[in-house]
Amino acid sequence: MEVLKIAGVKIENLYKNFSVDGKEIPVLKNLYLNIEEEGITVIVGKSGCGKTTLLRLLAGLEIADRGQITLDVKGKLGMVFQEPRLMPWLTVWNNITFGLNKGTYTKEFIENLISLVGIKGFEMAYPDQLSGGMMQRVAIARVLAYKPSIILMDEPFASLDYFTRETMQKELINIYKQSKKAIVLVTHSIDEALIVGQNVVVLKDGQVSNSYNLSKYTYPRDILNDNFVKIKKEILENI
Amino acid sequence: MEVLKIAGVKIENLYKNFSVDGKEIPVLKNLYLNIEEEGITVIVGKSGCGKTTLLRLLAGLEIADRGQITLDVKGKLGMVFQEPRLMPWLTVWNNITFGLNKGTYTKEFIENLISLVGIKGFEMAYPDQLSGGMMQRVAIARVLAYKPSIILMDEPFASLDYFTRETMQKELINIYKQSKKAIVLVTHSIDEALIVGQNVVVLKDGQVSNSYNLSKYTYPRDILNDNFVKIKKEILENI
Amino acid sequence: MKFNNVIKTLLIPFLLVLVWWIGSYLKLWNDYVLPSPNRVFAVFITMIKSGELIEHVLSSLSRVMIGFTIAFLFAFAIGVYAGLSPKKTIYYNLIVEFMRHVPPLSLVPLLILWFGIGEKSKIIIIVLAAFFPMFLNIKKGIAFCNLKLLEVGDTLGFSKLKKFYKIVLPYALPDILVGMRIGFGYSWRAIIGAEMIAAASGLGYLILDAQQMSRSDKIIVGIFTIGLVGVLCDRLVAILINKLLHGGVKDSWS
Amino acid sequence: MKFNNVIKTLLIPFLLVLVWWIGSYLKLWNDYVLPSPNRVFAVFITMIKSGELIEHVLSSLSRVMIGFTIAFLFAFAIGVYAGLSPKKTIYYNLIVEFMRHVPPLSLVPLLILWFGIGEKSKIIIIVLAAFFPMFLNIKKGIAFCNLKLLEVGDTLGFSKLKKFYKIVLPYALPDILVGMRIGFGYSWRAIIGAEMIAAASGLGYLILDAQQMSRSDKIIVGIFTIGLVGVLCDRLVAILINKLLHGGVKDSWS
Amino acid sequence: STKNEIPSNGTSEEAKFYNASKIAVTYVKSPLNVPSIIEKNKGFFQQHFDEYNLPVEYSNLTTGPEQTQALASGDLQFLNAVGATSVILAASNGSDIKIISMYSRSPKAFMLFANDSQIKTAADLKGKKVAGPKGTILHELLIAYLKTAGLTEKDIEFISLGIPDSQAALVSGEVDAALLAGPAAYNIKKAGNMVLTTGEGLVDATIVVATSQKFYDENKVLVDTYLKAQKFTLDYMRKNYDEIVQITAEETELSIDAVKEMYTMYDFIMEITDKDIEGMKKTEQFLFDNKMIDNHVDITDILIK
Ligand SMILES: Nc1ncnc2c1ncn2[C@@H]1O[C@H](COP(=O)(O)OP(=O)(O)OP(=O)(O)O)[C@@H](O)[C@H]1O
Ligand SMILES: Nc1ncnc2c1ncn2[C@@H]1O[C@H](COP(=O)(O)OP(=O)(O)OP(=O)(O)O)[C@@H](O)[C@H]1O
Ligand SMILES: [Mg+2]
Ligand SMILES: [Mg+2]
C-alpha cells in the first residue's frame, strides 16, 4: 500500500491501554488520523473517551502500545494542558516567559500577550492569587509566548465566560490566519468546534467515528446557518 | 428599617479586597444578595469577576472585609470546588465516601452515586488515573454523598461533554425536586443557567448587576423559547 | 532478574573487600590499625559462635528501639503541634534549637548527675540523637499541607482532629517517613555515645572496649555489625511500611 | 510587638536559668558537676575578655563550615542523581546505607590511619555527621517532583538539565532546606567528636580539655557557647535564604 | 620524606642520616605533665631540632589508644607521655612501638575515692559499685587494692567510665567508689571525699616516651636529640621551681597551691630503672590475667635497642 506523504501529523493503527486496579482498559483502538500542517483540527468526544490521551501521545508524553505517529512539522510543539499547570513559585510574568530563553524576547511581546489574554495588572501576581479562568489564560499565554508551530490545546477555554471565550476563539483564528500553524484543539463545546474548526474529528470508542472538513467555510462563521446546525446535530448524534 | 426574615442566605453590604503585589484589588463591593432556602440560584459573570470568591465567602473559607452573611439553613453546607481537589492517595470510592462516617451509609447508596455520575468501573482507580471530566464527576459525587442541605457548586460541569453535562443538569434538577435543597451554581454557560436556574444572578463589578427570577418556568425547559432567548440576550448584554 | 539485583547490590561492597584483602596482603597499611579480612572474619566467627555478638546486638537493639520510639513520640507530638500552630513555636523554639545544636556527648556528666548511669541516661542520648530530624521533617510535612485539600475538609464539616488524620497526616506521610529513616539512622549511630555511659554490653560497648584494649580486629567486627544490623532494620521497617500503606503514597523509601 | 516577641522567646530560657540559680543556691545538686550560674557567668566573661572563647568559636566554625559545605556538595550531587535515576541506586545504596548506620566515632582509629590526625580527619567526621539527612531529604525532594509540572517542561522542549534547574530544583527547595537545616545541626554537633582527634582549639576541644582538667564551669560555658552559636548560625542562614528566595516558596524555616 | 645529610660543622664526625620532614609529638598536659607544659611553653624541642631544620608539631591526643594508633599510622614520631599500659596493649596486638625513656612515675597521683564513709578498707568494697577507666593504671590500681583483701574484680561491680564521668557518677551517688587522677582527684579530695588509697605501693603508674622501631632505625640521631631535649627540660625544671609552677598554673588554670601540692606526687626522671621494668612486667601480667591481652609481651622487647 502506498502512503501519501503529507506534511503534518499522521497517526496510524494507534493502540493505547491503561491499567486501572489490575484491569486493562483499552482507550485508543486502531486509531487513524491525519492532522494537516496548516489548519485547526478540533477533537470532540465524551468525557473519558481518550482525547487527552491522544494529545499526550502526540506530544510524546505517553507511549503508544502499538501503531505509529509520524510528526512531520518543522519547528516546535507546544501544549496547553487540561489543567493550568503553572509553576506556583513564579509570578504570572515569569510563568509566561517560563519556556523562553533570556534575551530572545522583548518586553513588548510579553506585554502584548498579557493584554491579549486579558490579565493586565496581574503580571506580578502568583498563581494562587488568580481565578480559575485567569490561570487558564496564563497557561495559554505561556504556550503562545513559546511560538510553537504546532499547538495542542486541551479544553483551553473550558473555564472562560462567554465573552472571554469568544475573544480567545477569535484570537486563535487570528493566530492561525497570520502564521498558518497546526492547531489541535480539544473541546466539549460543539459550537466552539464549529466556530474555529477546519477539521472536526469525533472520537468514540477509541476511534475516529466521524470527521468533518469545514475548511471551505470562511471566518467569522455564523453557526446558526443551516449547514452548521445540520452538522451540529449529526455530531451530537454520533458522539 | 425592618428586615424581613427569610430562610436561606442573606448577604448584605459585602466587601472583599485582595492584595496582589502590594496593591489592593476590590473584588466584591457592597454586594447584596438573597439566596432562597429552596431553589437553584445560578451565578454568572466574567472570568475573574469574583464568583469563586463569593462562594468561598458563603462557605466560610474566606472572611469578608465588611458586611454580613446570614446563613439560616438547617443542616450542612457542601461545596464543589472549581478544581476537583480529590485526595491523591485515595481511590475513587474512598474519595466519594471521604466526608462520611463509617456505618452511616450503605454500599448501594455509594454505588448509585457512582453510576449517577457515570464512573462505574473506576471505583478502585486513583485520581491520577482519571480524565479531567471524570475527576470533576467524582468531586460532585463526593458532595452528593455528604447530603448537604445547601450545595455550592463552582463550575462543576465545565469539563464535561454535551451529553454528560445534560445528564448532570437533569440530575441536579432531580435532586432539587426531591429534596428541595438550596443549590448555588456558578457557571459560564448562560444556557446552563437558563436550563437549571430558578434565580439567575449576574455578577459584575463586584455587585449584582441583574437578577432574573425564573421559578415560574417548570422543568424541563425549552430554552429556545422566546422568553429565554430574550433573557439570554439581556444577560449577555449585562455581563 | 532478582539474582541480577543481588549481584548489582553486592558489586561495590565486594570490590571494597577485595581492595582491603589485597592491601592487607601486600601490607600497604598497618595491620595494627586495619587487620586483614581473614583475621577479622575469624574473630567474627568466634564471636558469633560464643554467642557474644548476638548478645551485644540484642542489647543495643533494645536500647535503640526504646530510644527511637520515645524520640518519635515526642517528635510527632511536638512536630504536629508546631506544624499546626506555628505561632506558638516562639515559646519553645529557642530551647529546641539550642538543644538541636548541643552535642549530646558534652552532656554526659550532667546526664549522669541527673539520671544516673543506668539505662535512662543511655536512652536519653539516643533520644537526643534521633529527635531532631524527625521533629523538623514532621513539622515541615504538617506545615506544608496543601491548603486546597484542607479546604475540602472544611467544607465537609471536619473537626480539626478529623482534618488532621484524614488530610494532613496522609499528605505529610512522605516527610514523616523520611524523618523516621533519618532519625532511626541517628539513633542507631548514637549507641557509641550512649554506651559510653557505663554499659556492660552492646555494640557500642564492644567497640569502646576494643578501642581501649587496642583490639582493632574487634573494632572492625563491631563496625560491620553495627552497619549491617542498621541496614537490616531499615529494610525491615521499609517493608513493613510498604505493607501498611496500600498504594497511592510514594515514599522514596527505595 | 517586637519587644513582646523577645519576651516570649526568652520566657522559658529565663525560667530555666532561674531554676538553675535557685537549685545552685539551695545546693540541690553538686557544684562540681553543675556549678552555679554566677560562677559560669564569671568564667564566661573572663573567657570573652581574654579572647579565648572567640578563638575557639572561630576555629570550630571554620571546621564546621568546611565540613558542612563538603557534605552539602556531596549530598546534593548524589541526592540529585539518586532522585533522578532511582534505578541506579541499587549499585551504591548498600554502601551509603551502611555508612549511614555506622557511628563516626567508631571510625576514628581508621580515620587516623588513613587521613592522619590533622584537619582532614576532623572534617571527615563532620561530613559523615551532616551528609545523610541532606542526602535523604534532597533525594526525597527530587524524587517526589510533581510529574504534571515536569511535563510542562517536556512540552516546552527543555533539556534534562533545564528541567532540573527550572522545575525540579525550585519544587524540591523546601525539602532541600529542611535537609540543610538538619545537616547543619548535626555538623555543628559533631565538633566534639571531630575535635577529639588531636585538636588544639575549638569549642569541642574546650569542652574535652575542661573535662580533663575537671573544670565543670568551663564545660558549661562550652555547652552554652556551642548551643548559642549554633542557633545564631541557623538564624543567619535562615535570614539569608529568605532574602535570596523572593516570595512564592514557603520554607517552614520558622 | 627525604634522606638528608646533617650539615657538618667542621667536626670530623661520620655523616649521620635521618629520614623525616617534621617532628610530630603528642602534647598531653593532664593529669599534671609539667615537663610537657614547660617544654612546649619554652620551645625546648624546637630549639634542639632547629639544628636539623625540622619543625616540631604538637598534637593533643590524650587517650592512650589514640596515641598508639596515630603512631602506627606514621602521623606521629614520638608519644611524649603515654601510659605503659597502652604501650603494652598496643605491642600485644602487634603494633611496632618502643619505649625510649621514662616520662614519670606517679603512683600517688592515682587515687581511689569512696562515697560512703562506711567504706574504709578494701574488704568493704565487696559487692560495691566502682567506676573508673578500664585497662588503665587506675584499673590496675583497683585490682591490686582488692587483692590486698583477697578480693578480685568479680567481687565488686566494676563500671567502665572515663575520669570526668566517674567523677560525676561519684558525686551524684551513682557509685560507691571511683578511680580518679589529676585535677579531678585533687578537686574531689579538696571537697572532702575520702581517699581509700593512692597507687603508692600498689602500682608504679609508669608513663613513658615511645616511638617506633622503624623510626628509630632510620633516625637514630633524631631520637638522641629528642632524649637530649627531654633531659634539658627536666634539668631546667629542677633549677627553676618557682617559674615552672607559675607556668603550669597558668596553663592548667589550677591554683599555684594546687600545682604545688600535686607536683609532689610526680617523679619525673627519664632513666629506665630495673624497678620500672619490674613494674611494667607486673602491669603486663595484670593485663594478661584479666584477659585484656591474648599474647604475652616481653617488656625487654619493647625497650628501644
Ligand atoms: N495514567 C492513567 N492510568 C490509568 N488510566 C488512565 C490514565 N490516564 C487516563 N486513563 C484512562 O483513560 C481514559 C481516557 O482518559 P482521557 O484523559 O484521555 O479522557 P478525555 O477524553 O480527555 O476525558 P475528559 O474530557 O474528561 O478530559 C479514562 O478512562 C481514564 O480513566
Ligand atoms: N487569594 C487571592 N489573593 C489575591 N487575589 C485573589 C485571590 N483570590 C482571588 N483573587 C482575585 O480576585 C478576583 C476574583 O477571583 P475569583 O476567583 O473570585 O474569580 P471568578 O469569578 O471565580 O473567576 P473565574 O471564572 O475565572 O473562576 C481575581 O482578580 C483574582 O485575581
Ligand atoms: Mg481530558
Ligand atoms: Mg472561579
Side-chain angles (χ1 to χ4, degrees):
Chain A
M1 195 177 89
E2 207 180 342
V3 181
L4 242 155
K5 189 143 176 72
I6 307 168
V9 184
K10 198 172 165 62
I11 300 174
E12 292 166 292
N13 187 30
L14 196 72
Y15 282 81
K16 179 73 192 172
N17 287 3
F18 281 115
S19 96
V20 173
D21 190 29
K23 276 167 289 188
E24 285 289 304
I25 299 185
V27 176
L28 302 180
K29 297 178 278 195
N30 193 22
L31 179 99
Y32 283 82
L33 179 64
N34 284 333
I35 294 167
E36 274 158 50
E37 197 181 6
E38 298 176 0
I40 304 180
T41 306
V42 179
I43 301 173
V44 295
K46 271 203 166 171
S47 167
C49 75
K51 303 179 296 296
T52 300
T53 306
L54 179 58
L55 284 201
R56 289 173 59 81
L57 281 159
L58 285 175
L61 297 174
E62 209 84 59
I63 292 164
D65 294 334
R66 237 171 90 190
Q68 192 164 318
I69 299 177
T70 325
L71 265 126
D72 184 17
V73 200
K74 24 189 181 326
K76 302 172 289 188
L77 180 150
M79 176 143 177
V80 181
F81 291 89
Q82 197 164 359
E83 324 85 46
R85 299 200 184 184
L86 306 179
M87 304 298 138
W89 58 88
L90 295 180
T91 59
V92 164
W93 181 283
N94 289 333
N95 262 296
I96 292 175
T97 61
F98 186 67
L100 309 180
N101 291 320
K102 271 212 174 114
T104 61
Y105 58 90
T106 61
K107 215 173 144 230
E108 291 76 46
F109 173 59
I110 304 299
E111 276 167 358
N112 281 341
L113 274 175
I114 285 176
S115 43
L116 189 147
V117 298
I119 42 172
K120 224 173 190 160
F122 286 88
E123 290 85 352
M124 289 302 124
Y126 286 93
D128 64 3
Q129 299 178 312
L130 301 182
S131 80
M134 288 160 89
M135 285 198 266
Q136 227 176 9
R137 284 177 275 158
V138 174
I140 294 169
R142 174 174 67 191
V143 102
L144 295 181
Y146 183 59
K147 291 188 183 161
S149 46
I150 170 165
I151 313 183
L152 312 178
M153 302 179 113
D154 200 351
E155 304 184 33
F157 311 139
S159 44
L160 299 183
D161 62 287
Y162 184 86
F163 287 103
T164 317
R165 192 164 190 147
E166 208 174 47
T167 319
M168 297 308 301
Q169 287 164 354
K170 275 189 194 134
E171 209 42 58
L172 199 70
I173 292 166
N174 266 341
I175 288 168
Y176 159 70
K177 276 186 182 162
Q178 280 165 23
S179 55
K180 298 280 179 197
K181 290 174 199 276
I183 296 172
V184 181
L185 181 83
V186 167
T187 183
H188 280 310
S189 158
I190 315 291
D191 288 355
E192 185 164 280
L194 299 179
I195 290 170
V196 304
Q198 297 195 304
N199 202 17
V200 177
V201 171
V202 181
L203 205 62
K204 190 177 176 183
D205 296 332
Q207 289 185 316
V208 174
S209 74
N210 254 310
S211 80
Y212 301 87
N213 190 325
L214 310 179
S215 50
K216 60 178 179 236
Y217 301 99
T218 53
Y219 301 112
R221 294 173 179 162
D222 173 17
I223 58 163
L224 294 179
N225 160 318
D226 282 354
N227 270 331
F228 281 112
V229 172
K230 214 187 95 210
I231 296 173
K232 181 172 177 179
K233 248 189 198 149
E234 214 180 303
I235 291 178
L236 284 178
E237 271 156 22
N238 274 306
I239 225 163
Chain B
M1 194 179 89
E2 209 179 344
V3 180
L4 242 154
K5 189 146 176 71
I6 308 169
V9 184
K10 198 173 167 62
I11 300 174
E12 292 166 292
N13 187 31
L14 197 70
Y15 282 82
K16 178 73 192 174
N17 286 3
F18 281 114
S19 95
V20 173
D21 191 30
K23 276 167 290 188
E24 285 289 304
I25 298 185
V27 176
L28 301 180
K29 297 178 276 196
N30 193 22
L31 180 99
Y32 283 82
L33 179 63
N34 284 332
I35 294 166
E36 274 158 50
E37 196 181 8
E38 296 177 1
I40 304 180
T41 306
V42 179
I43 301 173
V44 295
K46 270 203 165 171
S47 168
C49 74
K51 303 180 294 298
T52 300
T53 306
L54 179 57
L55 284 202
R56 289 173 58 80
L57 282 160
L58 285 176
L61 298 174
E62 210 84 61
I63 292 163
D65 294 333
R66 236 171 90 191
Q68 193 164 318
I69 299 177
T70 326
L71 265 127
D72 185 18
V73 200
K74 28 191 176 324
K76 302 172 288 187
L77 179 150
M79 175 143 176
V80 180
F81 291 89
Q82 198 165 356
E83 323 85 45
R85 300 201 183 183
L86 305 179
M87 305 297 138
W89 58 87
L90 295 180
T91 58
V92 164
W93 181 282
N94 288 334
N95 261 298
I96 293 176
T97 60
F98 186 67
L100 310 180
N101 291 320
K102 273 214 174 112
T104 61
Y105 58 91
T106 61
K107 216 172 146 232
E108 290 77 46
F109 173 58
I110 303 300
E111 277 166 356
N112 281 340
L113 273 176
I114 286 177
S115 43
L116 188 148
V117 299
I119 41 171
K120 224 173 189 161
F122 287 87
E123 291 85 351
M124 288 302 124
Y126 285 94
D128 63 3
Q129 299 178 313
L130 301 181
S131 80
M134 287 160 87
M135 285 197 268
Q136 227 176 10
R137 285 177 275 157
V138 174
I140 295 169
R142 174 174 67 190
V143 103
L144 295 182
Y146 182 59
K147 291 187 183 162
S149 45
I150 170 164
I151 313 184
L152 311 178
M153 301 180 115
D154 200 350
E155 304 183 34
F157 311 139
S159 44
L160 300 183
D161 62 287
Y162 185 86
F163 286 104
T164 317
R165 193 165 188 146
E166 206 173 49
T167 319
M168 297 307 301
Q169 286 165 353
K170 275 188 195 136
E171 207 44 56
L172 198 70
I173 293 167
N174 265 342
I175 288 169
Y176 159 70
K177 276 186 182 162
Q178 279 163 24
S179 55
K180 298 279 178 196
K181 288 176 200 274
I183 296 173
V184 183
L185 182 83
V186 168
T187 183
H188 281 309
S189 160
I190 316 289
D191 287 356
E192 184 165 281
L194 299 180
I195 290 170
V196 304
Q198 298 195 303
N199 203 19
V200 176
V201 171
V202 181
L203 207 61
K204 192 177 177 182
D205 295 332
Q207 290 186 316
V208 174
S209 74
N210 254 311
S211 80
Y212 302 87
N213 191 325
L214 309 179
S215 50
K216 59 178 179 238
Y217 301 98
T218 53
Y219 302 111
R221 293 174 180 163
D222 173 18
I223 59 163
L224 295 178
N225 159 317
D226 282 354
N227 269 332
F228 281 112
V229 171
K230 213 186 97 207
I231 297 173
K232 180 173 177 179
K233 249 190 197 146
E234 214 181 303
I235 290 178
L236 285 177
E237 271 157 22
N238 275 305
I239 228 163
Chain C
M1 184 57 195
K2 261 214 151 162
F3 178 67
N4 214 339
N5 279 348
V6 171
I7 287 184
K8 283 180 186 169
T9 303
L10 294 181
L11 185 67
I12 292 185
F14 174 78
L15 289 178
L16 288 178
V17 171
L18 197 72
V19 168
W20 176 20
W21 189 82
I22 293 174
S24 287
Y25 186 79
L26 299 177
K27 299 219 172 295
L28 290 186
W29 45 68
N30 195 300
D31 204 43
Y32 166 57
V33 185
L34 183 57
S36 71
N38 315 25
R39 197 168 121 207
V40 170
F41 193 69
V43 173
F44 184 63
I45 295 296
T46 320
M47 290 178 77
I48 285 184
K49 275 192 184 150
S50 72
E52 189 187 347
L53 202 58
I54 188 79
E55 191 191 309
H56 288 312
V57 168
L58 291 180
S59 163
S60 288
L61 259 185
S62 78
R63 264 177 207 133
V64 168
M65 284 306 160
I66 295 173
F68 175 75
T69 309
I70 294 175
F72 175 72
L73 293 179
F74 271 98
F76 191 78
I78 307 182
V80 164
Y81 181 72
L84 293 180
S85 330
K87 276 181 192 161
K88 299 268 172 63
T89 53
I90 192 163
Y91 288 104
Y92 54 86
N93 206 27
L94 185 63
I95 205 88
V96 169
E97 284 301 294
F98 183 85
M99 286 311 297
R100 188 160 80 79
H101 289 92
V102 168
L105 279 187
S106 68
L107 300 178
V108 170
L110 290 176
L111 290 180
I112 291 179
L113 178 68
W114 285 321
F115 304 103
I117 51 175
E119 287 300 302
K120 245 187 275 171
S121 295
K122 301 183 186 68
I123 285 169
I124 288 174
I125 291 275
I126 295 172
V127 170
L128 283 175
F131 172 78
F132 298 97
M134 297 202 266
F135 169 67
L136 284 180
N137 270 299
I138 291 174
K139 182 177 151 191
K140 181 236 159 200
I142 303 285
F144 268 50
C145 187
N146 192 320
L147 284 176
K148 298 200 165 179
L149 296 186
L150 275 177
E151 286 182 353
V152 172
D154 286 326
T155 61
L156 290 173
F158 284 4
S159 65
K160 265 201 149 185
L161 181 71
K162 198 164 180 186
K163 262 194 315 204
F164 174 69
Y165 72 83
K166 289 198 84 161
I167 305 174
V168 178
L169 208 54
Y171 196 84
L173 213 50
D175 285 300
I176 296 175
L177 295 183
V178 167
M180 284 177 77
R181 273 191 91 183
I182 300 175
F184 181 78
Y186 277 102
S187 66
W188 189 236
R189 270 179 165 205
I191 43 176
I192 287 264
E195 292 176 357
M196 263 182 190
I197 309 177
S201 67
L203 291 169
Y205 164 79
L206 168 68
I207 290 178
L208 289 167
D209 195 53
Q211 273 180 359
Q212 269 156 1
M213 297 301 123
S214 283
R215 283 293 300 271
S216 23
D217 44 2
K218 278 195 165 184
I219 297 181
I220 310 272
V221 169
I223 292 176
F224 269 90
T225 315
I226 286 191
L228 289 183
V229 175
V231 172
L232 238 74
C233 290
D234 191 64
R235 276 319 52 216
L236 222 78
V237 177
I239 292 171
L240 245 160
I241 286 186
N242 272 341
K243 280 262 154 80
L244 288 177
L245 304 176
H246 10 254
V249 177
K250 282 201 296 178
D251 59 2
S252 86
W253 199 296
S254 75
Chain D
M1 185 58 197
K2 261 214 151 162
F3 177 69
N4 213 338
N5 279 348
V6 171
I7 289 185
K8 282 180 186 169
T9 303
L10 294 180
L11 184 68
I12 291 183
F14 174 79
L15 288 179
L16 288 177
V17 171
L18 197 72
V19 169
W20 176 20
W21 189 82
I22 293 174
S24 288
Y25 186 80
L26 299 177
K27 299 218 171 295
L28 291 186
W29 45 69
N30 196 297
D31 209 39
Y32 292 112
V33 186
L34 183 58
S36 72
N38 315 26
R39 200 169 117 205
V40 170
F41 191 69
V43 174
F44 184 64
I45 295 297
T46 320
M47 290 178 76
I48 285 184
K49 276 192 183 152
S50 72
E52 188 188 346
L53 202 58
I54 188 79
E55 192 190 308
H56 288 311
V57 168
L58 291 179
S59 164
S60 288
L61 259 184
S62 78
R63 265 179 206 130
V64 168
M65 283 306 160
I66 296 172
F68 176 75
T69 310
I70 295 175
F72 176 71
L73 293 178
F74 272 98
F76 191 77
I78 308 181
V80 164
Y81 181 73
L84 293 180
S85 329
K87 276 182 191 159
K88 300 267 171 62
T89 53
I90 192 164
Y91 287 104
Y92 54 87
N93 206 28
L94 186 61
I95 206 88
V96 169
E97 284 300 295
F98 183 85
M99 286 310 296
R100 188 159 78 79
H101 288 93
V102 168
L105 279 187
S106 69
L107 299 177
V108 169
L110 293 175
L111 291 180
I112 291 179
L113 176 69
W114 286 320
F115 305 102
I117 51 178
E119 287 300 301
K120 246 186 275 171
S121 295
K122 300 181 187 67
I123 285 169
I124 289 174
I125 291 273
I126 295 172
V127 170
L128 283 175
F131 172 79
F132 297 97
M134 296 202 264
F135 169 68
L136 284 179
N137 270 299
I138 291 174
K139 181 176 150 193
K140 182 235 158 200
I142 303 286
F144 269 51
C145 187
N146 192 321
L147 284 176
K148 299 199 164 178
L149 297 185
L150 275 177
E151 286 181 354
V152 172
D154 286 326
T155 61
L156 290 173
F158 284 5
S159 66
K160 264 202 151 186
L161 181 71
K162 199 163 179 188
K163 261 193 318 200
F164 175 69
Y165 72 83
K166 290 197 83 161
I167 305 173
V168 178
L169 209 54
Y171 197 85
L173 212 52
D175 285 300
I176 296 175
L177 295 184
V178 166
M180 285 177 77
R181 274 190 91 182
I182 299 176
F184 181 78
Y186 278 102
S187 65
W188 189 236
R189 269 181 167 203
I191 42 175
I192 286 263
E195 293 176 357
M196 263 183 191
I197 309 177
S201 66
L203 292 169
Y205 164 77
L206 168 67
I207 290 178
L208 292 167
D209 191 55
Q211 277 182 355
Q212 296 280 328
M213 291 296 136
S214 204
R215 286 290 300 272
S216 32
D217 44 3
K218 277 194 157 187
I219 298 180
I220 307 279
V221 170
I223 292 175
F224 268 90
T225 315
I226 288 190
L228 288 183
V229 174
V231 172
L232 238 73
C233 289
D234 190 65
R235 267 339 32 225
L236 222 77
V237 178
I239 291 169
L240 245 160
I241 286 186
N242 272 340
K243 281 260 154 80
L244 289 177
L245 303 177
H246 10 254
V249 178
K250 280 200 299 177
D251 59 1
S252 85
W253 198 298
S254 73
Chain E
S1 56
T2 49
K3 206 139 181 103
N4 298 311
E5 197 174 329
I6 299 174
S8 96
N9 328 337
T11 49
S12 63
E13 278 181 70
E14 56 180 291
K16 293 175 183 171
F17 290 97
Y18 63 95
N19 181 14
S21 56
K22 63 169 190 192
I23 299 296
V25 303
T26 51
Y27 177 66
V28 187
K29 62 182 177 189
S30 74
L32 190 78
N33 289 339
V34 182
S36 293
I37 293 167
I38 300 303
E39 181 282 312
K40 189 180 178 208
N41 186 281
K42 293 279 173 188
F44 290 151
F45 279 159
Q46 192 59 63
Q47 278 172 31
H48 282 76
F49 284 104
D50 269 348
E51 187 186 339
Y52 304 94
N53 266 325
L54 291 173
V56 175
E57 288 172 8
Y58 296 94
S59 292
N60 292 44
L61 273 181
T62 49
T63 74
E66 277 172 341
Q67 293 197 50
T68 56
Q69 279 151 8
L71 181 74
S73 78
D75 235 40
L76 285 176
Q77 279 74 51
F78 294 99
L79 307 183
N80 192 16
V82 61
T85 323
S86 298
V87 176
I88 294 167
L89 280 169
S92 167
N93 287 297
S95 181
D96 169 20
I97 185 167
K98 293 290 148 80
I99 296 168
I100 60 171
S101 67
M102 300 306 283
Y103 187 87
S104 69
R105 303 153 201 81
S106 51
K108 279 183 273 184
F110 296 83
M111 304 176 199
L112 174 61
F113 288 93
N115 210 1
D116 181 350
S117 54
Q118 298 299 309
I119 303 174
K120 295 191 181 72
T121 66
D124 296 337
L125 283 175
K126 196 167 164 120
K128 301 286 190 213
K129 284 185 188 169
V130 184
K134 190 178 168 185
T136 62
I137 291 163
L138 283 166
H139 191 194
E140 191 183 348
L141 183 161
L142 173 68
I143 305 284
Y145 183 58
L146 288 173
K147 210 169 172 187
T148 61
L151 300 177
T152 69
E153 197 180 321
K154 290 207 181 68
D155 295 312
I156 59 153
E157 192 183 330
F158 181 68
I159 289 160
S160 174
L161 275 181
I163 289 180
D165 298 347
S166 295
Q167 185 190 3
L170 184 76
V171 300
S172 63
E174 280 290 319
V175 293
D176 304 300
L179 295 153
L180 302 174
Y186 177 81
N187 282 337
I188 288 291
K189 198 171 149 193
K190 276 277 166 295
N193 276 59
M194 199 185 61
V195 182
L196 266 183
T197 183
T198 68
E200 202 173 13
L202 296 172
V203 290
D204 291 298
T206 33
I207 309 284
V208 301
V209 181
T211 186
S212 67
Q213 185 70 46
K214 180 168 178 283
F215 182 77
Y216 178 69
D217 290 343
E218 292 170 6
N219 306 279
K220 281 200 179 63
V221 58
L222 298 183
V223 174
D224 288 343
T225 309
Y226 189 93
L227 291 172
K228 237 183 275 169
Q230 194 190 357
K231 187 166 183 323
F232 185 87
T233 309
L234 295 177
D235 288 344
Y236 186 88
M237 282 165 54
R238 229 160 279 134
K239 286 176 210 145
N240 303 281
Y241 177 74
D242 287 337
E243 185 193 355
I244 62 149
V245 167
Q246 182 67 36
I247 293 173
T248 307
E250 273 168 22
E251 184 65 24
T252 57
E253 297 181 47
L254 294 165
S255 70
I256 298 271
D257 288 339
V259 171
K260 281 183 175 168
E261 185 179 335
M262 288 162 71
Y263 187 54
T264 61
M265 300 172 182
Y266 293 80
D267 166 14
F268 297 113
I269 295 174
M270 62 185 284
E271 284 75 27
I272 307 171
T273 65
D274 288 346
K275 191 167 165 287
D276 294 328
I277 294 174
E278 273 321 298
M280 285 191 269
K281 280 187 175 158
K282 252 169 52 190
T283 302
E284 194 269 348
Q285 193 62 42
F286 154 78
L287 293 172
F288 189 81
D289 289 346
N290 288 280
K291 300 209 169 56
M292 290 190 262
I293 56 176
D294 294 341
N295 313 310
H296 266 300
V297 177
D298 187 344
I299 298 300
T300 51
D301 281 351
I302 57 170
L303 303 178
I304 205 83
K305 279 184 278 284

